[in-house]
Amino acid sequence: METFFISHGSPTLPIDESLQVRHFLKAWKQQVFLRKPNSILVISAHWETDVPTVNVVRQNDTIYDFYGFPEQLYKLKYPAPGAPDLAKRVKELLRTSGFNHVNEDTKRGLDHGAWTPLMLMYPEANIPVCQLSLQPKKDGTYHYNVGKALAPLKDEGVLIIGSGSATHNLKALQFDGDSVVSWASEFDCWLKDALLQGRYEDVNHYEEKAPYGKMAHPSPEHFYPLHVAMGAAGEDAKAEQIHQSWQLCSLSCSSYKFTAATAS
């Protein structure tokens, strides 16, 4: 099974028909991933902890972790069942791979990095969903190794999704512009080339290797979900860009599929 990185864009994703990434996600089951997964593991930019943490719940609540958006957004619900068995399996795999401290959160539901894309991808909300947190004080290689530890899940019917953003500099958003700023375009092109050429080590060290790495990601939390998805696909995985669009002149919605190498 493939793994995926999705740039989820604005929280208005479920209601704004003008967003190209919205239409991409609505066509998910027909055009991107035709199989129905047993369960879904989401690594979202919007859950940060000191150590890896899984949400262990029977039923997921919908978390409105954003402010100042249209009122109708706060009325939406994504009542997907929890995936406590998957959460335990994630914890087991991480501990086996040397991540000795893995916590459980028995109250947390789904943040908007998970539920806003899933509402479009799987609107029935009938597939169990588990979230795994990020550690923003760690680096790309650490999160790549988290992904490597989770690789067996692909063969257990689990859809692994990293949900973040290919670029994410909120101070650089332009609400009245109509052309992509050059630094964002350069970083986005570098990322595509690096992934499609299999230069995963460069992506792990994007701060040094990429043009405008710090400008594209002043903080790393929206990029680390990519590293987890990349690592979970395996060392010789093949990357494919499955969507590309822009929001507000600098927010890239580039999204990627990682296909594990077949054993020879």
Side-chain angles (χ1 to χ4, degrees):
M1 190 181 285
E2 303 92 338
T3 67
F4 294 89
F5 171 72
I6 292 168
S7 292
H8 59 253
S10 167
T12 58
L13 179 64
I15 61 172
D16 187 346
E17 291 281 353
S18 72
L19 300 177
Q20 293 179 48
V21 69
R22 169 186 165 84
H23 302 288
F24 157 67
L25 293 172
K26 284 190 77 172
W28 181 265
K29 291 191 292 184
Q30 293 75 36
Q31 297 180 14
V32 182
F33 193 73
L34 278 56
R35 287 165 285 168
K36 182 178 179 180
N38 298 332
S39 55
I40 300 171
L41 176 65
V42 179
I43 301 91
S44 164
H46 297 281
W47 190 15
E48 303 175 31
T49 58
D50 289 335
V51 298
T53 306
V54 286
N55 73 322
V56 187
V57 296
R58 289 286 168 192
Q59 183 67 42
N60 280 301
D61 292 327
T62 305
I63 302 173
Y64 306 100
D65 52 337
F66 44 80
Y67 308 95
F69 286 89
E71 187 179 343
Q72 68 185 108
L73 262 183
Y74 301 92
K75 296 178 180 177
L76 298 177
K77 301 278 186 192
Y78 191 75
D85 291 342
L86 173 57
K88 301 287 189 184
R89 177 72 172 131
V90 168
K91 185 174 181 180
E92 173 193 10
L93 289 170
L94 289 173
R95 295 184 74 169
T96 300
S97 295
F99 296 90
N100 296 323
H101 301 289
V102 183
N103 289 343
E104 298 181 7
D105 188 322
T106 58
K107 298 188 182 303
R108 185 182 175 89
L110 302 178
D111 61 57
H112 83 270
W115 70 261
T116 60
L118 288 177
M119 179 169 272
L120 301 172
M121 298 159 70
Y122 298 102
E124 304 83 4
N126 60 2
I127 301 173
V129 182
C130 172
Q131 278 200 233
L132 171 66
S133 68
L134 297 170
Q135 287 68 68
K137 294 177 183 175
K138 303 292 187 179
D139 61 10
T141 299
Y142 168 93
H143 286 88
Y144 181 80
N145 288 331
V146 167
K148 282 176 68 175
L150 302 175
L153 296 174
K154 301 193 305 294
D155 300 320
E156 299 170 14
V158 178
L159 174 57
I160 300 173
I161 298 173
S163 178
S165 191
T167 61
H168 192 264
N169 186 334
L170 297 184
K171 291 182 178 178
L173 300 181
Q174 297 182 13
F175 292 87
D176 54 359
D178 57 7
S179 59
V180 176
V181 294
S182 60
W183 62 261
S185 178
E186 283 192 47
F187 181 89
D188 197 56
C189 288
W190 173 87
L191 178 62
K192 178 182 177 182
D193 288 345
L195 290 175
L196 269 56
Q197 293 167 15
R199 294 188 283 114
Y200 300 147
E201 271 302 296
D202 284 359
V203 179
N204 284 342
H205 299 281
Y206 73 96
E207 304 97 322
E208 297 90 35
K209 298 289 187 178
Y212 304 106
K214 196 66 177 173
M215 189 76 175
H217 292 281
S219 56
E221 79 287 336
H222 274 75
F223 206 39
Y224 285 165
L226 169 72
H227 294 88
V228 180
M230 192 168 71
E235 239 169 79
D236 298 316
K238 184 175 176 55
E240 175 187 348
Q241 189 179 57
I242 52 176
H243 178 75
Q244 206 283 322
S245 63
W246 291 90
Q247 295 177 23
L248 304 175
C249 301
S250 67
L251 191 65
S252 170
C253 290
S254 290
S255 300
Y256 292 90
K257 174 174 74 173
F258 298 95
T259 304
T262 52
S264 54

